[in-house]
Amino acid sequence: MRTLCASTLIGEFFVIGFAGLVAMKLDGMSMGTVWAVCGAGMLVSLLLCGVITRPGGVQLGWALQIALVLSGFFVPMMYILGIAFGALWWASVHYGRKIDEAKARWAAQAEAQESAQAPAQG
């Protein structure tokens, strides 16, 4: 799960940065405000890569997805990108957990096979 979720978060890092470039051109928003918000979002996406497997990591990821969709109020294209990344986040979590479960089963089977062969060779 960690690899899939981290890949999605790295993609979001770049999307947030590009959204900041678009938001700089908007009237009524200072460059400092834009980069404070976008910089915080970019930092959160990077930090989440490291804590995704810890308790609450996935929930924090969902909060970031919601923030991306809500950023569409300022940069309308972010509605579409936020929904797309929300779908990617769901897929990363859902299929990542299935992959982790399959890996655990394969490891248990390999261990069982090794322990069954060890007494026969001794």
Side-chain angles (χ1 to χ4, degrees):
M1 179 176 81
R2 182 182 178 132
T3 303
L4 290 175
C5 290
S7 299
T8 300
L9 291 166
I10 294 298
E12 288 178 7
F13 171 85
F14 289 106
V15 166
I16 293 168
F18 291 133
L21 293 173
V22 172
M24 279 182 12
K25 303 293 181 188
L26 298 175
D27 292 332
M29 296 189 76
S30 71
M31 191 180 303
T33 301
V34 168
W35 287 114
V37 172
C38 290
M42 293 170 76
L43 181 65
V44 166
S45 68
L46 285 180
L47 292 176
L48 275 173
C49 290
V51 299
I52 197 63
T53 55
R54 295 191 180 181
V58 172
Q59 290 77 13
L60 288 173
W62 278 114
L64 182 62
Q65 307 315 309
I66 292 167
L68 278 179
V69 172
L70 292 177
S71 69
F73 284 113
F74 303 101
V75 179
M77 186 60 165
M78 289 305 291
Y79 284 125
I80 295 167
L81 290 172
I83 291 169
F85 272 100
L88 283 172
W89 183 253
W90 175 85
S92 297
V93 172
H94 178 75
Y95 293 112
R97 286 181 176 157
K98 287 187 178 229
I99 290 169
D100 289 347
E101 290 169 3
K103 283 182 179 180
R105 280 195 310 270
W106 293 333
Q109 287 175 350
E111 187 177 318
Q113 287 176 351
E114 287 178 8
S115 64
Q117 290 176 352
Q121 292 176 354

